Amino acid sequence: MVNKIWLALILIGFLFAAIKGDIGTVTQAAFDGAATGVTVCFGLISVLVFWLGIMRLAEDSGLVKAISKLLGPVVAYLFPDVPKNHPAMGYILSNMSANLLGLGNAATPMGIRAMQELQELNPDKQTASPAMCTLLALNTASITLIPTTLIAIRINFQSANPAEIVGSTLLATAIATMAAIVADRWYRRHSTHRTPPQATAPPNISLKG
């Protein structure tokens, strides 16, 4: 669906440019955008490699394990329907730890593995379970202590103080995470207390011979 939306936007843009006679401007903008994208990607590589290396050092030194242990009670509260020793718990903890450090690229594969493990626990394979919805909400609005990717982009565009967004990012992600948790708890409670509709009993018809 997202691909179709992007394709429609591109085609609409070219259509209006053709009507106005500005095809050349749109074509130049497309090439300029592609060049900027490549430049930004190259600028991000060094920073992301550095922080992924830091993440690996944190794993080897036991820092990630310490963060996971610290987050253990929180995760157990947020995912009450996931067994404590289930593999999904380990992936969820690693995912949340990476998100805290702003390492979205490292958090993504852990989140995917966590979703796969949660799907194994899901009784209805066609519908996302409450635990899967909780994980998605937390990933969408995760508290970020160090917005690594944003800092890298700001460095790439010659920002005078690329790290000045740390405080505002922490505040914004903290508010977003609290809102996500409150919404998740509300929907969990209401879905748990929702009673299925009662089947209407057929009328008692007596047949007399």
Side-chain angles (χ1 to χ4, degrees):
M1 177 59 70
V2 175
N3 291 335
K4 294 179 180 179
I5 293 175
W6 278 112
L7 179 60
L9 290 174
I10 293 171
L11 293 178
I12 290 172
F14 274 104
L15 177 62
F16 276 91
I19 294 174
K20 295 184 64 178
D22 291 334
I23 283 290
T25 303
V26 174
T27 304
Q28 184 62 40
F31 282 111
D32 290 343
T36 303
V38 172
T39 303
V40 171
C41 288
F42 277 114
L44 288 174
I45 288 174
S46 58
V47 178
L48 290 177
V49 167
F50 171 77
W51 281 106
L52 288 174
I54 293 294
M55 183 67 177
R56 182 59 182 269
L57 291 176
E59 289 178 353
D60 294 342
S61 64
L63 178 60
V64 174
K65 185 178 291 185
I67 295 176
S68 298
K69 188 176 296 185
L70 183 66
L71 293 175
V74 178
V75 173
Y77 168 76
L78 293 176
F79 298 89
D81 44 353
V82 179
K84 185 177 180 180
N85 296 322
H86 194 274
M89 277 298 191
Y91 290 121
I92 291 172
L93 287 168
S94 298
N95 171 262
M96 293 180 66
S97 300
N99 275 325
L100 279 173
L101 298 176
L103 300 174
N105 287 4
T108 299
M110 295 299 176
I112 293 174
R113 291 297 302 272
M115 281 292 187
Q116 291 173 342
E117 294 294 338
L118 292 176
Q119 180 68 355
E120 295 295 326
L121 296 173
N122 188 7
D124 183 4
K125 304 302 182 184
Q126 302 300 319
T127 305
S129 65
M132 297 171 75
C133 294
T134 301
L135 180 60
L136 180 60
L138 291 177
N139 271 268
T140 304
S142 174
I143 293 180
T144 304
L145 300 178
I146 306 173
T148 308
T149 304
L150 289 178
I151 291 175
I153 293 174
R154 288 169 63 86
I155 291 174
N156 190 69
F157 284 97
Q158 310 299 320
S159 173
N161 188 3
E164 67 180 352
I165 61 172
V166 171
S168 56
T169 300
L170 179 59
L171 177 62
T173 54
I175 294 174
T177 301
M178 290 304 300
I181 292 174
V182 169
D184 177 72
R185 294 294 99 181
W186 189 87
Y187 278 108
R188 274 180 177 264
R189 183 170 65 250
H190 282 72
S191 63
T192 301
H193 294 160
R194 188 181 299 159
T195 55
Q198 299 292 330
T200 305
N204 188 10
I205 301 175
S206 59
L207 300 177
K208 295 183 179 180

